[in-house]
């Protein structure tokens, strides 16, 4: 979307008061309900629809991510960066689960990539040596963390580096394994 487009302008001009006038937000559940619908929608009904992996709300002619509207509704201003879901669940829009993040921080909180074959984040099998390598992306670079006899040892090295480099935004292999159990 171009910065000068009318859609971008409308998105930037939306205020917290505008959102509060048209929607009710429950910070405990993360659900928006229509207060004064502009269409034939019934007041009190849940606002928005699931689009791909995010809850979207069509408001005043523009589609908004519900988590960004929740931030605006509660904090009174748009987030300075992206909105990260602490628990990784993109449909959990409770305000306690949302935090302002840079793109890098948001990426650090991602789970396993869909094409991952090792079962661990930051771990791959290195065929030439028959060992497992651990790596992490930081500061726009891929940092090599070492070669290991087992995938579990490589995952532990990734986890230690993630905690050190990513801090509270680190989504470690231990966390991913616990979520899967």
């Amino acid at each position: 979307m171009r910065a000068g487009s009318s859609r971008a302008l409308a998105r930037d001009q939306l205020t917290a008061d505008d959102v509060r006038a048209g929607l009710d937000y429950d910070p405990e559940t993360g659900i928006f309900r229509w207060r004064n619908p502009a269409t034939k929608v019934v007041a009190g009904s849940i606002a928005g629809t699931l689009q791909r992996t995010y809850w979207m709300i069509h408001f005043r002619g523009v589609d908004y991510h519900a988590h960004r509207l929740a931030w605006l509704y509660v904090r009174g201003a748009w987030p300075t960066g992206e909105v990260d879901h602490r628990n990784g669940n993109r449909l959990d829009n409770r305000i306690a689960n949302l935090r302002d993040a840079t793109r890098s921080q948001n990426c650090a909180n991602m789970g396993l990539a869909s094409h991952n074959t090792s079962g661990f984040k930051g771990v791959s099998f290195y065929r030439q040596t028959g060992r497992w390598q651990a790596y992490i992306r930081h500061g726009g670079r891929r940092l090599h963390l070492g070669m290991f006899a087992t995938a579990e040892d490589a995952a532990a090295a990734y986890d230690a580096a993630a905690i050190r480099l990513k801090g509270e935004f680190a989504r470690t292999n231990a966390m991913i394994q616990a979520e899967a159990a």
Side-chain angles (χ1 to χ4, degrees):
M1 174 182 340
R2 289 175 291 155
S5 72
S6 61
R7 187 171 183 164
L9 186 62
R11 186 179 307 267
D12 292 343
Q13 289 179 340
L14 188 69
T15 67
D17 288 337
D18 295 333
V19 177
R20 292 179 192 125
L23 296 164
D24 283 320
Y25 172 69
D26 182 347
E28 299 298 317
T29 64
I31 295 174
F32 279 96
R33 294 188 182 275
W34 291 109
R35 175 178 284 189
N36 297 315
T39 61
K40 296 177 184 175
V41 176
V42 177
S45 62
I46 293 176
T49 59
L50 178 63
Q51 293 183 16
R52 289 181 266 177
T53 58
Y54 288 100
W55 197 257
M56 302 292 291
I57 299 175
H58 190 77
F59 187 72
R60 295 197 176 173
V62 180
D63 288 333
Y64 296 94
H65 286 95
H67 57 273
R68 293 187 65 82
L69 286 180
W71 190 272
L72 177 63
Y73 190 99
V74 172
R75 307 274 192 243
W78 288 104
T80 58
E82 297 185 4
V83 176
D84 178 50
H85 293 80
R86 292 176 192 271
N87 66 6
N89 180 350
R90 295 173 179 166
L91 298 178
D92 184 354
N93 293 314
R94 294 173 298 122
I95 197 66
N97 188 46
L98 305 177
R99 59 185 168 189
D100 202 2
T102 65
R103 178 74 182 138
S104 178
Q105 290 168 327
N106 203 359
C107 288
N109 192 30
M110 291 172 44
L112 288 177
S114 61
H115 61 277
N116 180 293
T117 57
S118 71
F120 296 102
K121 189 174 178 181
V123 174
S124 63
F125 187 71
Y126 193 61
R127 287 190 187 139
Q128 285 107 330
T129 62
R131 295 174 61 84
W132 295 90
Q133 64 179 342
Y135 55 88
I136 191 167
R137 295 200 67 80
H138 184 69
R141 302 181 74 184
R142 181 175 159 150
L143 305 177
H144 179 76
L145 302 174
M147 303 295 283
F148 301 88
T150 68
E152 290 77 10
D153 289 344
Y158 172 87
D159 287 358
I163 291 166
R164 187 176 74 253
L165 297 172
K166 309 297 183 181
E168 71 173 294
F169 289 90
R171 179 161 301 262
T172 64
N173 286 297
M175 292 168 68
I176 294 168
Q177 299 292 323
E179 292 164 3

